Amino acid sequence: MTRRQAARAVGAACLLLAVSLPLSAQGAPEDSAGYARLEMGEFYPFEIDPRAFVGFDAAPVRPLTPADRIEAHEGHFYRVGADETVGTDDDSRVRFFGVNLSFDANFPEEADARALADTLSKLGVNAVRLHHLDSRLTPLEDRPRGVLATGPYPTWHEQGLRRLRGLIEALADKGIYVNLNLRVGYRIRPEVDALPELDESRMHRPNAAPLLNFHPEGIQRQIRYATELIERLGLRRNPALAMVEISNESSLLAAWYRHEWRDATPPEYVGVLEAQWRAWLTQRYGSLTAACAQWADCLHDEAAGWLLTPDDLDRREPALAEWLDTWRRRIEALTGKATGRPPDPLARLADANPRVSDFLEFLADTDAGFYERMRTEVREAAGFDVAVGGTQVGYGGPLNHSALAGMDFLDDHFYVDHPHFPEGHAQPRNWRVWHTSLMARDAALLLRHALRREAGKPFLVTELNHPFPSLTGGELLPIMTTLALRQDWDGLFFYEYVSRVQPERAPANFSLEGDWGKWVQFAQMARVFHQRRLAPLDDTHFVPLSLPAQIALTAHGHLDDLSDHARLSAGLQMTDVWRTQVGVVRQADDTVPALRPRPTHPATPFGQAELQLNPAGFAVTSPQWLTTAGSPHNLKQASQQSLAVVDRATPLAPATFSLTQESTQPNEDTWRLTIGSVTLGSQPGASPPRPKAFVPHPLGSDSWTLEPDPDHPEHPSGTRYTTAPAWLPRQPVTLHWAGPDAQRLIVYPLGSRGDREAPLPAERVHRQGEHWQVDLHVTREESRPWYDFVLVDQEAK
């Protein structure tokens, strides 16, 4: 890069946005059915052809080789290098920016597999999580919808295996790894599987029931499923296999704290777990009588059932608020007065009901024993020390950190404004969202999930989405990419890329494909992540989480949120995720360090980079990357030179503007602008065609849904598998960009393939002193979600 080009990069210092959004139906127009609609301005139709996407100007990909094999080491993932040995000088760290493929999407024909792999590679994907492989059983003669046929578990669908193997090969040829999910959605069929009977009508989540975590025959079936799947997919010593997850969302701990205990203990299975509980108590105390004496409040009769009443098995301790208030007062009394470390109040709470504490520790030990046995078998089948995870770390409460202690990595799932289905997922035409902003109402999620990381283990978010049709979904990818870089996480996986083989042309459930307001951002954020355009934070602040603390937090209903624990024991605040790397560290003792003052950090820890966040706005400014979301009114301007985005018409739907430097050539710099926003499908039968409208959900509480489909007027919501064409909101804005004098600016809208169209008319681009002014979305015909900004030296032709 020349000195002048470097000056240009630094000169792009600040990106600001001013938009407004009315989230109220008051005064909004009504349609013919009488629905009050959410007014958001004008929309324009737009569709991308992913299979024809031209991609970014990036280095060519290459097939994976044995030197690219991945192993976990010293808290991160590494390529083993030419010597094929982890922990040596030729290792190189790997970070994953990936997607999930779900259900049918895992079983394309050969040509479709090659086309999909090519598209994902151009998007910047370097890992694919193979998800829901076991959820749909397919008769042998039918087109595969899973790897399993309808016989006893596991009976293999050979065509499904063949297609999935071909997909893995196509991905590996493009340098893309796979994350192999084992158990996700398989439901026990006692009449076919020769396992004990169960009544699914009394089960909350039969597909996640942890029966197979403790039932001996169930464990043997899972071992067979895992080892044969690895063999049949050709993954033994295959560098494409980056990691394996044993269970997506299933654990005994989760069944207890989520009030789904009957999922774990149907009548025909309860005796098996009870026998293991008695054996655990006997090993700990010497006998059941000794256990009862230790508890001092149960029957001294070794034949007395569980030694716990049914209420005890699914009980909750007194309100968490009372406990936190007591703890706060105790710490305040000790702070500044005690020498050394004060006693951990959580340890005392864990002793308050030793029966429940013992039972929770037993559940954690049982989960751990299952995970560790599976890890051994998976590694033997893979032929190398493949990284193995248990279940997502948030699915079991704080005690899950002990249950997953023997795993090689931790993974988490992160959703904002997940649709709520009042009648359950079985009624897909009754759902609602709240248009929740990650910057405002759900900003606490950032610290909550960051605290699930554990010192010494790689950390991944394997499901990430702010799902369609939340209006604020355009915030997600830039904010989470920023957080992952600053926290030095090991990967992000969007859920999902697609769940069907055929391309999506409009938004469909959780799919990225068809949700073009996020799709255009994805490739851009992948480059930001892979090129590490923000450095990790230097400071680290890992909160001690002892075993007694884990038990007490779980027993007292603290579930998956460690934020209060971190605030009270270590002084962490919500905004500290932008100042220091955070997480937990398991301790062998039952004490925590004394409170420490909050760390202080420089305002610009990465050269010219600056980051600002408040409930109204989010902004990142760095030499090669600028992003803003929300309103700038409470954001400081980073420097005198700026890129400002000012709206020229209201109302506007929320939008996130991201500008990244993409290539530098002699006398020319190219930057890409994306406008992340909601994408809507079309209302079937509307003439003229129009996007679906948001209407208030009948249940109220400021919730919204999409107007019903004409053929299902009896339901309150339209389907989330929408009809093409897709629509994006117009953003009539003027950009002000300061830059060097010796240049001209050409702005190219990008079309459906990501290729340049005719540049904007000259009257759209003005020079005002040291600033360029660019008028975007002046007409609906000109409107696009992405642009190339090309800075050209005046002396260049």
Side-chain angles (χ1 to χ4, degrees), residues 52-79:
F53 179 46
V54 297
F56 286 75
D57 181 15
V61 298
R62 58 175 180 78
L64 298 175
T65 69
D68 297 308
R69 195 180 73 238
I70 300 294
E71 293 188 22
H73 179 65
E74 294 184 349
H76 299 293
F77 294 104
Y78 289 88
R79 293 185 184 90

Side-chain angles (χ1 to χ4, degrees), residues 589-613:
D589 56 61
D590 61 359
T591 58
V592 295
L595 289 173
R596 294 182 289 172
R598 291 174 59 191
T600 57
H601 304 270
T604 56
F606 181 57
Q608 296 293 318
E610 298 185 18
L611 184 147
Q612 299 176 65
L613 174 73

Side-chain angles (χ1 to χ4, degrees), residues 21-31 34-40 417-422 428-437 441 466-472 654 678 680 692-708 715-720:
L21 169 68
L23 288 182
S24 170
Q26 294 182 356
E30 292 188 357
D31 64 10
Y35 287 105
R37 299 184 182 187
L38 186 64
E39 190 66 26
M40 297 177 296
D417 206 11
H418 193 295
H420 170 241
F421 293 82
R429 285 185 167 86
N430 184 4
W431 55 266
R432 56 181 179 159
V433 294
W434 283 260
H435 301 313
T436 302
S437 170
R441 289 197 326 203
H466 193 153
F468 160 80
S470 181
L471 284 176
T472 51
V678 69
L680 295 177
K692 270 188 171 289
F694 280 105
V695 297
H697 191 275
L699 292 181
S701 68
D702 296 324
S703 62
W704 297 86
T705 191
L706 293 176
E707 61 184 311
H715 295 298
S717 308
T719 177
R720 295 179 67 247

Side-chain angles (χ1 to χ4, degrees), residues 163-182:
R163 288 194 180 186
L164 180 56
R165 189 164 55 244
L167 173 63
I168 293 171
E169 292 171 356
L171 294 170
D173 283 346
K174 293 293 184 178
I176 300 174
Y177 295 93
V178 296
N179 169 345
L180 181 65
N181 274 194
L182 296 179

Side-chain angles (χ1 to χ4, degrees), residues 18-22 39-42 646-653 730-733:
V19 300
S20 61
L21 169 68
E39 190 66 26
M40 297 177 296
E42 185 184 10
V646 181
D647 67 292
R648 291 184 281 104
T650 56
L652 299 178
R730 271 188 64 207
Q731 299 289 338
V733 297

Side-chain angles (χ1 to χ4, degrees), residues 280-291:
W280 188 91
L281 288 172
T282 300
Q283 183 177 14
R284 167 160 288 195
Y285 292 107
S287 69
L288 300 183
T289 300

Side-chain angles (χ1 to χ4, degrees), residues 77 100 125 175 191 223 260 339 342 465 482 527 529 609 639 649-650 689 691 776:
F77 294 104
N100 287 254
V125 168
E191 71 284 0
I223 290 173
E260 297 168 1
T339 58
N465 206 335
T482 302
R527 286 169 66 81
F529 186 79
S639 70
T650 56
L776 296 178

Side-chain angles (χ1 to χ4, degrees), residues 334-378:
L334 291 169
T335 302
K337 300 177 182 178
T339 58
R341 296 188 295 182
D344 183 1
L346 291 173
R348 301 179 190 178
L349 285 166
D351 293 336
N353 192 328
R355 287 192 305 169
V356 172
S357 296
D358 277 349
F359 188 66
L360 290 176
E361 191 172 352
F362 158 70
L363 296 181
D365 285 352
T366 304
D367 280 337
F370 165 68
Y371 299 143
E372 289 166 20
R373 183 173 179 187
M374 289 291 294
R375 175 179 180 267
T376 298
E377 299 287 351
V378 164

